[in-house]
Amino acid sequence: MASQGQGNQTSVTEFILLGFGDLPGLQVPLFLLFLLIYLVTMAGNILVVVLVVADRHLHTPMYFFLGNLSCLEICYSSTLLPQLLAGLLTGDWTISFTGCLTQFYFFGALAGSECLLLTVMSYDRYLAICNPLHYAARMSGRSCLQLAGGSWIGGLLGCSITTVSISLLNFCGPNGIDHFLCDLIPLVKLSCNDPMVMDMLAIAVSLIFLLVPFLLTLTSYICILSTILNIHSTTGRQKAFSTCSSHLIVVSIYYGALLIVYMFPTTDLLRNFKKVLSVSYTVLTPLVNPLIYALRNKEVQEALCKACRELRT
């Protein structure tokens, strides 16, 4: 839909998300699949938050950051999946200009916050394994609050700049977004403005919130692996690696998908592949994080068993 503007130029007032519009025969199966994923994601992450808050044995920096990550995933999934489920259920993929900007802001802000928080968590594991004598001093309660708060605020402030810039663009048609969500690159392609400024902004945002955190995380893990390899005891080596192996799995999946989607040019060959990768970091990562990070850890399993016993009595 478009409204008349100055000089007979039309202005787009709503967009159409085309991500799953060409799969009419799969609307119901996809709806059931994504509904199940959403419910399990919410249940798993809420469970982690409740356990971290309720069990005093989990009141450590690692689980404090894990609780923040689960809170972030709850918000992240709720920003995207309800809109996706509504489209699959009704077949109506339209979204207002304001609604699109709102979704983009919260999606981008939470994705940026997650990149920063994963970097903080890798730093936490680096200190625990490589500098255990300084761990308690550097990961004090105040330091943890500052690091977690900085991750949230950094993502929210960083994406506000991009969102304001998008709101100033002119959209004079067409209004079909080749994605299942309002994302930066598809929106810039629909703009009638010269894309150079927004492309430069997109590169700057990707460098700050994606490439730099990825390199810092990678550096942390190189140091961790070097320290682990120098441990002479096989048992000690296995114990040290087990504390960060789950984090390494999540980081590899998350950053791998993001780097391909945002740092590689969108060619005809990569367009559909990028959509698949977008599903992995927007839908699947929040689903598997509670399982990989928390529910497979002995401390969390013990806290869960303890909570179950208390509920029975």
Side-chain angles (χ1 to χ4, degrees), residues 89-122:
L89 184 63
T90 64
D92 182 9
W93 292 98
T94 59
I95 183 171
S96 68
F97 180 79
T98 303
C100 189
L101 279 183
T102 302
Q103 186 190 64
F104 168 75
Y105 172 71
F106 285 106
F107 159 70
L110 292 169
S113 295
E114 182 158 352
C115 288
L116 297 176
L117 187 59
L118 288 174
T119 305
V120 169
M121 295 176 74
S122 68

Side-chain angles (χ1 to χ4, degrees), residues 27-49:
Q27 301 288 306
V28 174
L30 285 174
F31 171 80
L32 295 174
L33 174 62
F34 285 120
L35 178 61
L36 177 62
I37 289 174
Y38 183 53
L39 293 175
V40 174
T41 298
M42 296 298 287
N45 283 290
I46 290 173
L47 176 61
V48 171
V49 173

Side-chain angles (χ1 to χ4, degrees), residues 19 27 42 63 69 90 93-94 102 118 150 168 193 250-251 258 297:
Q27 301 288 306
M42 296 298 287
Y63 289 108
L69 181 64
T90 64
W93 292 98
T94 59
T102 302
L118 288 174
L168 298 176
N193 301 76
V250 174
V251 166
L258 283 173
N297 289 359

Side-chain angles (χ1 to χ4, degrees), residues 233-247:
S233 168
T234 303
T235 304
R237 190 183 301 122
Q238 291 176 345
K239 182 179 180 180
F241 188 74
S242 67
T243 61
C244 64
S245 59
S246 56
H247 188 191

Side-chain angles (χ1 to χ4, degrees), residues 60-140:
T60 64
M62 184 178 78
Y63 289 108
F64 172 75
F65 295 131
L66 179 59
N68 273 268
L69 181 64
S70 289
C71 286
L72 197 151
E73 300 292 24
I74 292 169
C75 301
Y76 193 54
S77 296
S78 298
T79 300
L80 301 174
L81 281 174
Q83 174 75 30
L84 178 59
L85 289 169
L88 290 170
L89 184 63
T90 64
D92 182 9
W93 292 98
T94 59
I95 183 171
S96 68
F97 180 79
T98 303
C100 189
L101 279 183
T102 302
Q103 186 190 64
F104 168 75
Y105 172 71
F106 285 106
F107 159 70
L110 292 169
S113 295
E114 182 158 352
C115 288
L116 297 176
L117 187 59
L118 288 174
T119 305
V120 169
M121 295 176 74
S122 68
Y123 175 65
D124 171 73
R125 291 300 84 206
Y126 162 76
L127 287 178
I129 294 174
C130 301
N131 292 287
L133 297 179
H134 299 100
Y135 182 75
R138 295 189 183 180
M139 279 297 169
S140 63

Side-chain angles (χ1 to χ4, degrees), residues 162 184-185 188 196-208 262-263:
T162 311
L184 177 61
I185 297 174
V188 171
M196 176 148 321
V197 175
M198 288 303 300
D199 287 343
M200 294 296 293
L201 179 60
I203 292 172
V205 170
S206 297
L207 287 173
I208 295 171
Y262 291 103
M263 300 299 287

